[in-house]
Amino acid sequence: MDAKTLESDALTAIAAADTTDAIETVRVEFLGRKSALKQALREVRDRETGMTLNAVRERLEAAVDARDDELARAELDRRLTTEKVDVTLPAGGGGRGHLHPITQIRREVEDIFLGLGYRVVDGREVETTRYNFDALNFPAGHPARSPQQSLFIDDKTVLRTETSPSQIRTMEAQQPPIYVVSLGRCYRRDTPDATHTPIFHQVEGLVVDEGVTLADLEGTLDFLLKKLFGEERRTEFRTHDFPFTEPSIEAYVSCHVCDGDGCPVCRHSGWIEIGGAGMVDPKLFEFVGYDPERYSGFAFGWGLERIAVLRHKIPDLRELWRNDLRLLRQF
Ligand code: PHE
């Protein structure tokens, strides 16, 4: 191979390259692993030829780099003049977003209760076992007190397993009459499936006043269920059991999909279970220093995800946490 001819051929090609892509092709052709020059360098047997070829290689590398720089700068200049952006122009229609379905339901429930004269109060997501269990009359050894079911931070601190501790905090902070709702995240050590996620939202309601009865509770829940699922719905209340209410009930609404005729959503029963409620157990009043002879109250705690999947007929509750825009854009 004639080093002189090779070098002048390469220099001609370098000068002729007019884009950074073209110079890359030249680099591969003359300096790449399979180029004649690299081939020759691998076969060198004497020192003098080696030095000559290496000197050619170095000069060609420098020439390629220099041309590459020059072309890159020219390309940048060209882009800067042709792709000029006027940042003072109004931004093009980016499309408005909207609230997540859970936030929509949360606000809707808040609005319903604000309309009834309730206040919205905040609770704490990180709670003490005192507020999350003791004050709510959970007996020692109740399964919810176990790290198998609840997420503990330490012996005395737990991620709230329900919004009910807000009942105690509200009663401690004020005297009756109390008409409040409290909405937010709760945590349980559940394996995610179609009906469970370890993080979920609840709405807690609490009323304490003189002469509050079970009929007041059922009337309030009937009103809420009709607002959420339609005025034509019927409601039903069945007995249940919670440590902090006595008596305890579970609210049911007639199926909004089949109107009670029976379908897969209501598992062919015509009724859909919504969530728990009951009359505040007088033991809670003792805990916060209210006179149980004078006051009575009711409470309820429902899952917002459950309301959302029922209303929107979403088959799997986990969908609400995937943040897939194809789902979220529908609501
Ligand atoms: N905290 C209960 C639950 O998570 C619901 C509930 C709240 C029941 C208030 C009665 C009164 O299941």
Side-chain angles (χ1 to χ4, degrees):
M1 188 207 56
D2 176 3
K4 279 241 151 23
T5 317
L6 181 114
E7 184 168 1
S8 73
D9 283 356
L11 288 173
T12 310
I14 290 167
D18 55 359
T19 63
T20 48
D21 284 344
I23 197 73
E24 202 45 45
T25 311
V26 172
R27 192 198 299 273
V28 171
E29 184 184 343
F30 289 96
L31 294 162
R33 228 162 25 85
K34 292 182 184 150
S35 61
L37 182 57
K38 287 290 166 76
Q39 206 79 38
L41 272 163
R42 274 195 288 275
E43 285 159 12
V44 159
R45 294 287 170 268
D46 63 292
R47 187 176 135 79
E48 198 163 326
T49 316
M51 281 174 58
T52 311
L53 290 180
N54 266 319
V56 171
R57 181 182 54 80
E58 275 170 28
R59 283 195 296 277
L60 289 182
E61 278 173 0
V64 166
D65 286 347
R67 182 72 182 144
D68 192 24
D69 274 357
E70 195 182 328
L71 290 167
R73 217 169 309 126
E75 280 169 17
L76 181 63
D77 281 346
R78 199 160 41 242
R79 286 188 50 206
L80 286 175
T81 44
T82 56
E83 298 176 15
K84 219 183 267 170
V85 173
D86 183 349
V87 293
T88 64
L89 285 174
R96 267 180 84 174
H98 65 74
L99 298 173
H100 189 277
I102 292 296
T103 310
Q104 291 178 19
I105 295 212
R106 178 179 180 156
R107 301 228 176 142
E108 191 178 324
V109 171
E110 284 173 353
D111 283 347
I112 291 170
F113 281 99
L114 287 170
L116 290 173
Y118 284 53
R119 279 190 310 127
V120 179
V121 298
D122 278 332
R124 304 184 182 190
E125 289 183 30
V126 179
E127 263 299 0
T128 61
T129 50
R130 187 175 144 83
Y131 284 92
N132 199 83
F133 301 123
D134 303 343
L136 290 169
N137 200 30
F138 277 81
H142 190 284
R145 289 183 181 264
S146 131
Q148 302 268 7
Q149 281 200 5
S150 302
L151 290 153
F152 283 85
I153 288 176
D154 59 38
D155 273 2
K156 291 192 155 45
T157 321
V158 65
L159 297 181
R160 69 171 173 194
T161 56
E162 51 195 353
T163 40
S164 301
S166 65
Q167 291 183 35
I168 307 296
R169 292 198 178 272
T170 305
M171 289 192 283
E172 274 186 348
Q174 69 167 102
Q175 288 298 309
I178 290 178
Y179 291 82
V180 295
V181 284
S182 187
L183 299 88
R185 287 186 173 202
C186 304
Y187 303 81
R188 283 183 200 174
R189 198 161 171 180
D190 279 328
T191 305
D193 63 24
T195 53
H196 298 84
T197 51
I199 308 179
F200 56 99
H201 295 76
Q202 280 190 339
V203 47
E204 191 82 13
L206 174 70
V207 165
V208 183
D209 206 341
E210 289 179 21
V212 176
T213 68
L214 188 61
D216 296 320
L217 170 58
E218 296 189 353
T220 306
L221 297 182
D222 182 78
F223 179 83
L224 174 59
L225 286 169
K226 286 178 169 147
K227 284 272 175 271
L228 290 174
F229 292 99
E231 292 299 329
E232 24 354 307
R233 296 282 84 73
R234 282 155 293 125
T235 55
E236 192 173 281
F237 304 97
R238 304 184 193 168
T239 56
H240 204 79
D241 187 53
F242 297 104
F244 35 89
T245 44
E246 184 58 39
S248 302
I249 58 173
E250 193 92 58
Y252 286 75
V253 66
S254 60
C255 183
H256 57 296
V257 178
C258 63
D259 198 28
D261 292 342
C263 71
V265 172
C266 58
R267 293 209 205 92
H268 303 284
S269 73
W271 292 97
I272 295 175
E273 178 192 321
I274 300 294
M279 299 306 289
V280 179
D281 192 309
K283 287 199 182 111
L284 273 62
F285 291 154
E286 280 165 31
F287 190 93
V288 298
Y290 286 2
D291 178 0
E293 296 298 323
R294 181 166 172 205
Y295 296 114
S296 56
F298 67 69
F300 60 91
W302 293 355
L304 298 186
E305 279 78 4
R306 183 154 172 74
I307 296 170
V309 295
L310 286 170
R311 277 225 335 218
H312 299 312
K313 305 189 187 85
I314 302 172
D316 188 325
L317 197 139
R318 286 170 292 190
E319 291 296 343
L320 291 168
W321 293 90
R322 290 208 177 102
N323 288 333
D324 186 331
L325 288 175
R326 288 169 303 177
L327 177 100
L328 297 179
R329 284 204 175 111
Q330 298 176 48
F331 308 114

